[in-house]
Amino acid sequence: MKLTKLINSTVIIAFLALTSGIASAQTAANNNTSTDATSEKPINTAVNSDALGSNYTNASYIQPFNLVNLAYQGGFKQQGVPSGGALIDEGRRGNITAQDLVKAAIKANKLPAQVLNNQDYISAVSLQLGVLTGANYPV
């Protein structure tokens, strides 16, 4: 039991240490592409682009990893989303879903409303939430 708490604490501390500074994340303009100098074809440089699927084309959304991290750091408390360990606990119980986080981000003006119809984005948020909570997470 103590070993489990130690491992969980270590994972949370590592998560925070590796992602500090994301709490002030803003939705970015579409700056996640660059051009290949030899062929003039756009190169997708979006973070977590592999988790978003081929139908995900609008790179101006806050990335799913950053959205979950923002929730963990308390960025959606005003929208009723718990932070820190409470978010992890509620996520494990299934009381907070990826759709809940997306709705909170919409209310906080971090995402446009049409994202609720983007199943690739919601699935990517679900994946990141599952990583945080250590659970296979339902959408």
Side-chain angles (χ1 to χ4, degrees):
M1 185 66 144
K2 289 183 180 183
L3 181 60
T4 303
K5 286 185 179 184
L6 176 64
I7 291 171
N8 286 341
S9 298
T10 304
V11 168
I12 290 171
I13 290 169
F15 179 80
L16 290 175
L18 294 173
T19 60
S20 62
I22 295 178
S24 61
Q26 303 269 328
T27 51
N30 195 357
N31 293 332
N32 291 330
T33 58
S34 62
T35 305
D36 183 355
T38 59
S39 66
E40 295 297 317
K41 293 180 182 175
I43 301 171
N44 186 356
T45 58
V47 177
N48 295 335
S49 61
D50 58 329
L52 296 176
S54 60
N55 294 332
Y56 182 76
T57 57
N58 189 343
S60 65
Y61 301 158
I62 184 173
Q63 294 296 321
F65 175 84
N66 296 346
L67 181 86
V68 172
N69 189 41
L70 187 58
Y72 181 84
Q73 293 182 3
F76 302 126
K77 276 191 167 188
Q78 290 182 340
Q79 289 73 31
V81 176
S83 62
L87 175 65
I88 293 171
D89 290 341
E90 292 298 312
R92 286 181 180 156
R93 291 185 189 113
N95 295 333
I96 296 288
T97 65
Q99 282 201 329
D100 294 330
L101 294 183
V102 169
K103 288 177 183 177
I106 291 168
K107 287 180 184 174
N109 294 319
K110 296 289 184 184
L111 288 173
Q114 69 263 26
V115 177
L116 279 174
N117 299 324
N118 187 330
Q119 192 58 44
D120 287 338
Y121 186 85
I122 292 173
S123 294
V125 172
S126 181
L127 175 72
Q128 295 300 326
L129 192 55
V131 169
L132 177 65
T133 61
N136 285 335
Y137 208 77
V139 176

